[in-house]
Amino acid sequence: MEFSMKPAQLKIKYLTPGVAVLILLAFNGFVFLALRFLYGLGYVTNLDLQHPWGIWIAIDVASGVALAAGGFTSAALGHIIYKEDYKIILRPALLTAMLGYTFVAFAVFIDLGRYYYIWHPLIYWNGTSPLFEVGMCVMIYATVLYIEFLPVVAERFIGKVNFKGIFSFLNKPVDSLLRTLNRGLRKTMFIFIIAGVVLSTLHQSSLGTLMVIAGEKMHPLWQTPILPLLFLLSAIAVGFPMVIFESLIAARSFKLKPEMEVLSGLGRMVGPLLGIYLAFKIGDMAIRGTYVYLTEVNTQSVMFMIEVIVGVIIPLRMFFSEKVLRSKLWLFVASTLVIIGVLLNRINDFLVAYSPPYAFQSYFPSIGEISVTIGFISVLVLLYRAFVMIFPVISLPDKKLITQAKYAVRGGAK
Amino acid sequence: MATQNRRDFLKTATFLSASALSIPTTHAKASEPEALNENRMGVLVDTTVCIGCRNCEAACKEAHNLPMETSFNINNRDIFKLKRRPDETSLTVVNEYPNPKNKLLPTDVKVQCMHCDHPACVSACIVGAFTKHKNGAVTWDGSKCIGCRYCMVACPFQIPAFEYNKAIQPRIMKCDFCFERQSENKLPACVEICPTEALTFGKRKDLLEIARDRIKRRPERYINYIYGEHEVGGTSWLYLAGQKFSNLDFPVLGTEPAPGVTESIQHGIFAYFIPPIALYALLGGVMWINRRKNSEEEK
Ligand code: SF4
Ligand code: SF4
Ligand code: SF4
């Protein structure tokens, strides 16, 4: 690398037309959310006695957790395997994971019939329940992510704490608090980083255990005792594509030059990881003989084929091609396919495969459910944008060059 | 109107703060599955005797203070044109099916929670809100439930119902085997009212004897199968029928307890916390070695 990269706050304008659209979408979601709290789940969702879980669980929670896997895979790569070259992806991945998990927790909250009892698992334990384990791990992991982010906050504000007016007396104590925390964390951070990776492997896999108990209600194409392993492997495989996907989008919308060298390096690891996932998926299918279900043409078999071919096999082939790894566009396409693949897998696992025995009608999400999900994603993007402006998250080549570089790229794009 | 809303809001707000503050002092331990009581009770449902009078539906509603809609009329046999399921206002329903042996004598099937011996709902519930009692009943504890509806995902008979239209304190509703009545030494309401003795209440092991005996004595009347004897590890409620159970909308299930696979996975991952701790140690080791290598290179 020619210049040393250093995380810095982005100096960009917050409000753009795209941002305005996101705000509208978020507001729309908020309206339906308000109705849910006023009149109950039945009022805004299409859930019924046969279909207790909908897209709020399948997309917001299950896919949310999977797609936030970039946080722990990059922590494993950057901190534990200790590859210095990938340092610049650590903070963006951490931020995504932190925001992602916050939203997963929030999605669980709104989906709970008795949301105000969300803390009950802390005191009423049920060790046989995989949901209990997922809940606890997610709770602890989210806390760990916040702790991991603290040094970034400290870096931003140490020496710059500046409350105005009557709060100005707080300046000194807050500053010294940040300093103490930062000093303490510098020595102990490794504990949290390792804990984060362990917790992730645990709940990523237990999320797969969730549907195992549904037994015969699950279509055999997905129902397998190794579901937890498949969930873990696919989460690991989707981690780096997610980082690549975000970096490329961020680079585009913040008008920066993407670090292609780093991204290609990440991409090079995706192929083998996807390969392992595919091997287990196909191997499991061969052992259990479930390929016979592929000869029937129905929603399940078609969705399975799309999931595996579009979401795994095609990107697998792409990630092994040097041309793809070097091209911004193709790398983006391949990463997007992996993400779609995992998203589809989670939707398939929680919704498509689930065929309740006495369904009078099948489940399709309501406008309200879709609005809330889209609203969530919008707020997530909005917060991400705000965070990279407030905190030094995204690495820029040399601090003094920031403003110049911005104009240089802008000019070049014309 | 405005005052009404305001009052509702206040009620909700008081409720929310009250429930947030009322952190129970008793710390519940992980609910260890109690060994199944040998004398647990059950009910034998003889579908060849049931006449579809639906008195049990009414009695059950009454015993549980559930709303009886004005349209609720047990003499209305048109209702059998549709297949119904137990829901949040009816913990049990009776459905009718054609009888291939005798067109004039349709088969009526009462449906409710099966009170499994190894209940998926008990194993799955995130806060352990379900309990399998000594007397066989599986009941739900509203003070723990958080409304996640995982029990509905888990139940192989798709029994637990949820009050989707309540914004506050929605309940999981299912047959509780008249747990309260039983503790007062009363029969379950449905059993008590049944005019034809299609429902027999007794110890599960005795019921199995009775069922076998009936099959033996009237082989032309019954198929040789007791539904619930082995399904998902056995259920407290047992069924006899004159035709194949799959024709009567009973799910075809294996004999393994529904939570079996999940629990062995969970125990595998968490066996004395060794796997997570081992992983932690391994990662710590890798991290230490790599950091040292790195700083040595820098020297
Ligand atoms: S039938 Fe369903 S609700 Fe009833 S005990 Fe069995 S698993 Fe639980
Ligand atoms: S809805 Fe209630 S009873 Fe059912 S699994 Fe969730 S917490 Fe347990
Ligand atoms: S045992 Fe009690 S709760 Fe269950 S169906 Fe009969 S009357 Fe209803």
Side-chain angles (χ1 to χ4, degrees):
Chain A
M1 257 174 275
E2 286 172 47
F3 346 68
S4 62
M5 304 285 287
K6 197 171 174 335
Q9 293 151 251
L10 290 187
K11 300 208 170 55
I12 46 171
K13 211 169 73 190
Y14 191 74
L15 206 64
T16 64
V19 168
V21 172
L22 289 177
I23 292 177
L24 273 182
L25 289 173
F27 183 76
N28 174 51
F30 185 77
V31 171
F32 284 99
L33 201 57
L35 293 175
R36 176 256 170 273
F37 282 109
L38 283 176
Y39 300 107
L41 278 168
Y43 193 80
V44 281
T45 67
N46 275 350
L47 300 175
D48 55 35
L49 299 183
Q50 301 290 323
H51 304 90
W53 284 355
I55 56 166
W56 288 355
I57 294 293
I59 298 184
D60 303 20
V61 177
S63 309
V65 167
L67 298 183
F72 91 94
T73 51
S74 56
L77 181 70
H79 290 302
I80 294 179
I81 306 178
Y82 210 65
K83 294 264 184 231
E84 289 266 14
D85 302 350
Y86 296 105
K87 239 183 169 163
I88 62 160
I89 63 158
L90 286 176
R91 282 191 180 180
L94 171 62
L95 176 61
T96 323
M98 184 178 89
L99 293 178
Y101 273 87
T102 309
F103 274 79
V104 165
F106 204 67
V108 170
F109 178 76
I110 66 156
D111 191 75
L112 289 181
R114 302 171 160 203
Y115 46 90
Y116 39 84
Y117 284 161
I118 192 169
W119 49 271
H120 269 188
L122 289 175
I123 56 162
Y124 301 121
W125 292 17
N126 183 9
T128 58
S129 168
L131 189 61
F132 171 73
E133 190 214 320
V134 171
M136 293 300 259
C137 281
V138 167
M139 227 182 290
I140 304 172
Y141 183 50
T143 317
V144 167
L145 286 171
Y146 286 124
I147 295 174
E148 285 184 39
F149 197 72
L150 261 179
V152 183
V153 179
E155 181 183 320
R156 166 70 175 80
F157 283 114
I158 282 181
K160 294 174 204 147
V161 183
N162 190 11
F163 289 108
K164 300 256 157 64
I166 50 163
F167 293 112
S168 54
F169 72 94
L170 281 174
N171 285 347
K172 247 205 147 135
V174 170
D175 192 68
S176 51
L177 177 74
L178 280 178
R179 276 175 208 272
T180 327
L181 274 178
N182 199 32
R183 220 173 309 121
L185 279 178
R186 195 166 297 157
K187 293 199 191 97
T188 50
M189 189 48 92
F190 75 95
I191 299 178
F192 295 107
I193 286 168
I194 305 175
V197 176
V198 174
L199 285 165
S200 292
T201 55
L202 288 181
H203 72 258
Q204 292 285 2
S205 52
S206 295
L207 212 51
T209 320
L210 279 188
M211 295 307 275
V212 171
I213 202 168
E216 333 260 337
K217 294 199 271 179
M218 285 272 284
H219 195 279
L221 280 174
W222 287 276
Q223 179 64 291
T224 155
I226 69 157
L227 256 183
L229 182 62
L230 292 178
F231 265 55
L232 179 63
L233 292 175
S234 55
I236 294 176
V238 82
F240 296 140
M242 199 60 199
V243 173
I244 297 173
F245 176 83
E246 278 167 36
S247 306
L248 289 175
I249 290 197
R252 211 189 144 84
S253 87
F254 304 143
K255 314 234 169 15
L256 307 166
K257 205 166 139 282
E259 279 309 309
M260 274 313 280
E261 232 169 284
V262 176
L263 298 187
S264 316
L266 284 178
R268 211 154 272 136
M269 287 178 262
V270 177
L273 293 176
L274 263 182
I276 298 174
Y277 169 50
L278 184 69
F280 273 93
K281 201 158 167 95
I282 302 289
D284 169 64
M285 198 166 159
I287 290 170
R288 289 181 309 115
T290 48
Y291 41 80
V292 293
Y293 295 98
L294 290 178
T295 54
E296 307 165 6
V297 178
N298 52 28
T299 321
Q300 275 95 357
S301 60
V302 172
M303 288 299 275
F304 185 87
M305 289 311 278
I306 299 179
E307 176 199 321
V308 174
I309 294 177
V310 178
V312 187
I313 296 178
I314 295 180
L316 175 68
R317 174 68 193 79
M318 288 177 78
F319 273 113
F320 276 116
S321 139
E322 207 45 44
K323 200 179 130 229
V324 170
L325 290 175
R326 285 181 196 292
S327 142
K328 219 164 44 173
L329 176 69
W330 285 115
L331 198 56
F332 183 77
V333 172
S335 302
T336 311
L337 287 180
V338 180
I339 293 168
I340 292 177
V342 170
L343 186 68
L344 268 182
N345 174 260
R346 299 311 192 252
I347 294 176
N348 283 344
D349 188 78
F350 282 88
L351 302 179
V352 176
Y354 183 77
S355 23
Y358 305 103
F360 301 108
Q361 66 205 40
S362 53
Y363 163 84
F364 196 82
S366 68
I367 306 275
E369 289 176 87
I370 297 173
S371 298
V372 170
T373 297
I374 292 181
F376 266 4
I377 299 169
S378 308
V379 175
L380 199 62
V381 176
L382 290 174
L383 278 179
Y384 189 94
R385 197 177 168 91
F387 266 77
V388 297
M389 289 172 67
I390 301 173
F391 296 106
V393 171
I394 294 190
S395 293
L396 297 174
D398 199 289
K399 239 180 165 179
K400 275 162 263 151
L401 286 175
I402 300 171
T403 35
Q404 287 173 22
K406 201 166 89 181
Y407 292 113
V409 176
R410 264 195 190 157
K414 267 178 200 163
Chain B
M1 179 69 194
T3 45
Q4 182 65 41
N5 280 344
R6 217 181 115 93
R7 200 176 310 136
D8 275 358
F9 169 72
L10 279 178
K11 222 161 64 187
T12 312
T14 338
F15 176 82
L16 284 181
S17 42
S19 54
L21 289 175
S22 68
I23 299 173
T25 41
T26 46
H27 281 234
K29 287 193 203 91
S31 56
E32 279 299 316
E34 253 181 67
L36 276 171
N37 190 301
E38 210 200 328
N39 291 321
R40 61 189 182 280
M41 307 304 280
V43 170
L44 176 64
V45 184
D46 193 332
T47 60
T48 66
V49 177
C50 177
I51 52 169
C53 70
R54 293 170 58 221
N55 273 305
C56 53
E57 288 187 22
C60 179
K61 274 179 185 275
E62 208 181 297
H64 294 84
N65 290 320
L66 290 169
M68 258 191 240
E69 311 82 38
T70 39
S71 58
F72 185 85
N73 173 4
I74 55 173
N75 297 319
N76 169 19
R77 290 191 82 93
D78 279 347
I79 203 154
F80 289 135
K81 282 186 191 142
L82 286 176
K83 296 282 175 283
R84 296 171 305 145
R85 293 291 302 163
D87 59 22
E88 64 275 23
T89 59
S90 324
L91 309 184
T92 183
V93 295
V94 180
N95 285 323
E96 194 164 89
Y97 300 84
N99 180 357
K101 288 184 193 157
N102 182 347
K103 281 220 170 61
L104 298 175
L105 251 181
T107 308
D108 293 286
V109 181
K110 176 184 184 297
V111 187
Q112 74 297 305
C113 168
M114 299 291 284
H115 299 278
C116 309
D117 281 345
H118 306 276
C121 56
V122 172
S123 168
C125 175
I126 178 167
V127 289
F130 283 99
T131 315
K132 172 82 179 169
H133 295 275
K134 277 208 178 93
N135 71 350
V138 176
T139 63
W140 169 83
D141 177 353
S143 65
K144 289 183 182 171
C145 175
I146 63 173
C148 67
R149 310 185 298 289
Y150 188 35
C151 48
M152 302 167 71
V153 173
C155 172
F157 301 97
Q158 203 68 36
I159 288 297
F162 178 75
E163 296 181 313
Y164 279 108
N165 294 317
K166 269 203 196 167
I168 290 286
Q169 288 298 74
R171 289 172 295 173
I172 290 288
M173 302 295 283
K174 72 169 200 66
C175 156
D176 59 359
F177 208 173
C178 284
F179 190 70
E180 270 179 40
R181 288 176 59 99
Q182 282 205 51
S183 58
E184 296 160 10
N185 277 324
K186 284 193 217 153
L187 283 173
C190 54
V191 176
E192 189 179 72
I193 205 157
C194 179
T196 59
E197 288 182 26
L199 309 176
T200 315
F201 176 78
K203 288 184 188 160
R204 184 179 188 268
K205 53 181 184 189
D206 299 341
L207 295 177
L208 282 172
E209 294 296 314
I210 298 175
R212 278 195 208 103
D213 191 53
R214 280 192 205 172
I215 295 174
K216 205 164 92 196
R217 278 193 288 148
R218 307 280 300 275
E220 77 295 345
R221 183 180 178 111
Y222 298 103
I223 60 160
N224 186 11
Y225 195 87
I226 308 171
Y227 191 93
E229 182 177 8
H230 299 299
E231 268 72 19
V232 285
T235 59
S236 287
W237 282 57
L238 303 161
Y239 284 80
L240 285 176
Q243 54 175 309
K244 265 172 69 193
F245 280 99
S246 51
N247 294 342
L248 305 175
D249 283 344
F250 282 82
V252 180
L253 297 168
T255 56
E256 288 296 313
V261 184
T262 308
E263 288 187 6
S264 40
I265 294 174
Q266 285 300 100
H267 292 163
I269 296 180
F270 280 102
Y272 304 103
F273 279 95
I274 290 174
I277 293 172
L279 180 60
Y280 195 101
L282 177 75
L283 292 177
V286 172
M287 190 167 177
W288 186 70
I289 291 171
N290 283 331
R291 296 236 159 167
R292 218 173 52 149
K293 209 163 55 193
N294 223 286
S295 54
E296 264 166 25
E297 271 166 22
E298 270 167 24
K299 265 177 211 163

